[in-house]
């Protein structure tokens, strides 16, 4: 049985005071539900947020990382640096990084490998553009992203990876995937993992849905058999909304 995993992607929002207030509010509101929860603030606010949730069940993730350990890579942050501040997770390959900031599958693969080697758990994002869905290319796009993103990653390492299926047309648009669309993409993703690895890896890997998840649509999405959690953007910025999603899981 896969434990549900709800993660909040705060993106490039909030100042440090607001981030601390939000993290404190979540820490106080979170009960003892048998569910994994993580929040992902900006790099600047990671330490402050980690200090707030330290000792609570809330994990903290970065939104990006670079694959080299150190050196002349102006503006980048390494896995060793994330590990040094006790960061638990890192989002890799988010659609905004793929499509706004130009990240390719090969870079994403290097980042996932670096995260696994450095003991920070990757949340590996995949998802198709609207035109790809309309051209019936969703499965092909997902297969390429999964195969290239997970190239040379072992079955053992798969235990530390969460996959997030985020259709690009649903991110920040209010246009959520239907439960049937989400389930179909998640089932396809699990089948692809099974073909790449084996039944056990496929049965155990957690696949989050992301894209306009709100408290009022979370329950139906999360009740789909292959939907194991959510990666939440906009609705993770308010305690009430994020808790509404957690409670619906
Ligand atoms: P959204 O973002 O919930 O605001 O659509 C999801 C994401 O980008 O992870």
């Amino acid at each position: 049985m896969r434990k549900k995993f709800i993660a909040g992607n705060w993106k490039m929002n909030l100042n440090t005071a607001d981030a601390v207030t939000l993290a404190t509010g979540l820490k106080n509101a979170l009960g003892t539900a048998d569910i994994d929860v993580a929040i992902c603030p900006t790099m600047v606010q990671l330490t402050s947020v980690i200090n707030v949730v330290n000792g609570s069940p809330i994990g903290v993730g970065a939104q990006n990382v670079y694959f080299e350990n150190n050196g002349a890579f102006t503006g980048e942050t390494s896995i060793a640096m994330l590990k040094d501040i006790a960061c638990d997770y890192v989002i890799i390959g988010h659609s905004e990084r793929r499509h706004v900031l130009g990240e390719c599958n090969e870079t994403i693969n290097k980042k996932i490998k670096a995260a696994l080697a450095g003991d920070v758990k990757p949340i590996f994002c995949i998802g198709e553009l609207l035109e790809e869905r309309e051209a019936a290319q969703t499965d092909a796009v997902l297969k390429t992203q999964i195969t290239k993103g997970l190239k040379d990653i072992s079955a053992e390492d798969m235990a530390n990876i969460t996959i997030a299926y985020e259709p690009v047309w649903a991110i920040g648009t209010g246009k959520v995937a239907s439960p049937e669309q989400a389930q179909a993409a998640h089932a396809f993703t699990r089948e692809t993992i099974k073909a790449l690895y084996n039944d056990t890896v496929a049965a155990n890997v957690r696949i989050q849905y992301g894209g306009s998840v709100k408290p009022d649509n979370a329950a139906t999405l999360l009740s789909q058999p292959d939907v194991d959690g959510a990666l939440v953007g906009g609705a993770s910025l308010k305690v009430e909304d994020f808790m509404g999603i957690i409670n619906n899981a």
Side-chain angles (χ1 to χ4, degrees):
M1 192 56 195
R2 297 178 296 269
K3 195 172 178 181
K4 293 267 194 278
F5 179 19
I6 310 291
N9 173 11
W10 293 358
K11 307 195 181 183
M12 199 173 72
N13 292 299
L14 309 177
N15 58 30
T16 301
D18 292 338
V20 165
T21 303
L22 178 54
T24 308
L26 288 170
K27 182 175 139 177
N28 295 338
L30 195 72
T32 50
D34 188 24
I35 188 171
D36 288 332
V37 174
I39 47 180
C40 307
T42 66
M43 292 291 182
V44 176
Q45 291 144 4
L46 271 175
T47 306
S48 307
V49 168
I50 286 168
N51 287 339
V52 171
V53 301
N54 190 16
S56 86
I58 303 177
V60 178
Q63 298 171 16
N64 183 34
V65 73
Y66 195 57
F67 52 79
E68 296 286 358
N69 269 335
N70 50 52
F73 304 102
T74 302
E76 297 297 326
T77 306
S78 72
I79 284 290
M81 292 166 185
L82 295 182
K83 191 67 194 168
D84 184 47
I85 58 165
C87 186
D88 307 292
Y89 300 96
V90 57
I91 299 174
I92 296 178
H94 188 276
S95 81
E96 285 142 23
R97 297 218 55 90
R98 288 179 188 266
H99 299 295
V100 182
L101 296 146
E103 251 177 48
C104 65
N105 289 314
E106 289 69 25
T107 301
I108 290 164
N109 177 246
K110 286 183 186 168
K111 291 182 175 191
I112 295 175
K113 284 182 187 155
L116 292 165
D119 195 24
V120 177
K121 293 185 170 69
I123 299 175
F124 165 42
C125 301
I126 56 173
E128 81 287 359
L129 296 164
L130 181 61
E131 54 266 37
E132 292 167 337
R133 172 161 286 267
E134 287 174 348
Q137 287 169 356
T138 299
D139 288 358
V141 170
L142 297 182
K143 190 172 179 185
T144 301
Q145 290 176 340
I146 294 165
T147 309
K148 293 191 172 179
L150 298 178
K151 186 167 182 283
D152 298 331
I153 286 164
S154 70
E156 294 71 50
D157 275 337
M158 284 302 292
N160 290 316
I161 295 184
T162 300
I163 298 176
Y165 167 64
E166 299 203 301
V168 181
W169 48 271
I171 296 178
T173 57
K175 202 175 148 196
V176 65
S178 70
E180 295 74 26
Q181 286 172 322
Q183 170 56 27
H186 283 233
F188 178 80
T189 299
R190 205 175 296 288
E191 277 303 309
T192 306
I193 295 295
K194 187 169 148 182
L196 285 175
Y197 295 94
N198 56 48
D199 286 355
T200 313
V201 171
N204 289 333
V205 69
R206 290 192 292 189
I207 308 172
Q208 298 174 319
Y209 168 80
S212 298
V213 178
K214 309 282 178 226
D216 63 359
N217 60 29
T220 26
L221 284 164
L222 289 161
S223 64
Q224 299 304 307
D226 286 296
V227 178
D228 308 314
L231 182 55
V232 185
S236 70
L237 293 170
K238 284 193 184 138
V239 174
E240 202 181 277
D241 291 347
F242 196 54
M243 285 309 303
I245 293 167
I246 291 169
N247 291 333
N248 273 318

